[in-house]
Amino acid sequence: MSDAASVSRSIVTMQAASTQQALSVEMLKQNAQADQSLVTMLQQSADAAKATLPAGQGGLVDRTA
């Protein structure tokens, strides 16, 4: 009887670990999507700011000259 209980307990533990790992992977995916959305938003904001600046501003400046 204790062998069956031990096997059952082991199976439940493995299933719990598998579920936890699957949830962790899904959370990482969602974090990556959120980060990508933030990068996209910042890029669009930078592009919009460049579009509103006067000509010749908003680009790279050569400070070594």
Side-chain angles (χ1 to χ4, degrees), residues 1-11:
M1 193 66 126
S2 67
D3 286 340
S6 177
V7 169
S8 295
R9 198 173 12 243
S10 177
I11 289 172

Side-chain angles (χ1 to χ4, degrees), residues 5-7 9 14 17 20 22-23 28 30-31 33-35 37-38 44 48 51 54 58-60 63 65:
S6 177
V7 169
R9 198 173 12 243
M14 287 188 306
Q20 185 176 8
L23 287 172
L28 286 172
Q30 289 181 4
N31 285 342
Q33 287 175 339
D35 289 346
S37 295
L38 180 60
Q44 289 172 348
L60 295 176
R63 297 181 188 193

Side-chain angles (χ1 to χ4, degrees), residues 37-57:
S37 295
L38 180 60
V39 167
T40 300
M41 183 183 70
L42 291 172
Q43 184 62 48
Q44 289 172 348
S45 176
D47 291 344
K50 286 181 188 176
T52 60
L53 291 174
Q57 293 187 7

